[in-house]
Amino acid sequence: MLNIELKGADTANRVNFIVTHYIENQGWTLDQFLISSFNWETLRELRSINPNIAIGVLTDDDPEKAIPIAKELKAVAINPDYTTLNQANIDAIHTAGFKVYTWTVNEPEEIEKLKKLGVDGIFSDYPERI
């Protein structure tokens, strides 16, 4: 899966256009994309443009606070800062029906710890370590 992070204003429409191009012209499928952002308003805009695309709600705060917006957006995942994670909030996110894709984990011992806690995916500058 390719994660595309929306980082600027008015990026939802353009990114949706690019995703659609790759699906229609390059043989990609919608399930190969995950669109994420810290800007929840931009994610709302994307959802209004494309009701079917997978969304990940990025957060650097208490990850459980992202559950209501994830439900509103019909997101597939909450993407928290790994330093905010523990077994209780990972379980709460899973119980709410969302995957946990955490960022940015580079140290092997942290990667192993998060795997044991049951995260569903890890963003890293060193994917070979995962």
Side-chain angles (χ1 to χ4, degrees), residues 34-36 43 47 51-58 66-79 93 96-99 101:
L34 175 71
I35 310 300
S36 62
L43 291 176
R47 177 54 75 222
N52 300 314
I53 200 158
I55 287 177
V57 177
L58 275 163
I67 291 173
I69 189 70
K71 287 180 178 179
E72 174 191 331
L73 295 172
K74 297 179 177 77
V76 299
I78 295 174
N79 302 358
I93 293 167
F98 303 103
K99 304 264 188 210
Y101 300 136

Side-chain angles (χ1 to χ4, degrees), residues 38-49:
F38 286 103
N39 185 327
W40 298 351
E41 286 303 316
T42 300
L43 291 176
R44 282 187 178 106
E45 181 183 347
L46 178 69
R47 177 54 75 222
S48 72
I49 295 167

